[in-house]
Amino acid sequence: MQVITVTTLVLPGGEIPPGSVIKIPDHFLPRLAGKVEPIGKQVWLEGDDLRTKGYVPDLSGEIVKLTEGNLPLQKILLRRHCEEYDHHHLWRLVECVRRELR
């Protein structure tokens, strides 16, 4: 993911000044909270909390991608962030997954 540095990042190989655009693995974002901001990313995780920027057309799909290896968190986030808009989305999501597995 591309991020922009908000503060100076001190690394073993030197310093990265504020305003620099760098690429980091997605899972580093929570560790660098307050030090970098995502560029072009509308949905990300900070720990177990979902963060969004602006309107996300396929929020449930983004949650599934972000929590692929953590099904309990996936279920919590889908219920918390999607169910209030469409109470039937979880059943549709389950049906889509079942079709893909066949």
Side-chain angles (χ1 to χ4, degrees):
M1 130 181 353
Q2 280 196 321
V3 297
I4 188 164
T5 56
V6 177
T7 63
T8 300
L9 294 180
V10 180
L11 303 172
E15 293 184 355
I16 301 174
S20 300
V21 175
I22 60 173
K23 191 167 185 167
I24 64 169
D26 289 0
H27 65 276
F28 276 11
L29 188 61
R31 294 182 195 173
L32 297 173
K35 298 177 183 179
V36 299
E37 286 290 325
I39 297 176
K41 194 81 166 176
Q42 289 185 296
V43 182
W44 66 96
L45 288 176
E46 288 182 9
D48 287 347
D49 293 323
L50 184 71
R51 300 287 185 232
T52 62
K53 189 180 286 187
Y55 171 72
V56 181
D58 183 19
L59 184 58
S60 59
E62 292 297 322
I63 291 170
V64 169
K65 287 180 204 171
L66 288 171
T67 57
E68 185 177 345
N70 188 343
L71 295 180
L73 178 60
Q74 186 178 100
K75 182 178 176 182
I76 290 167
L77 293 177
L78 284 169
R79 283 189 172 154
R80 184 182 305 153
H81 295 283
C82 301
E83 191 173 53
E84 64 186 286
Y85 302 111
D86 181 356
H87 296 288
H88 302 289
H89 79 91
L90 284 175
W91 295 113
R92 283 198 299 273
L93 184 61
V94 167
E95 287 303 314
C96 288
V97 170
R98 283 183 183 157
R99 278 193 296 265
E100 287 182 25
L101 294 175
R102 289 182 195 159

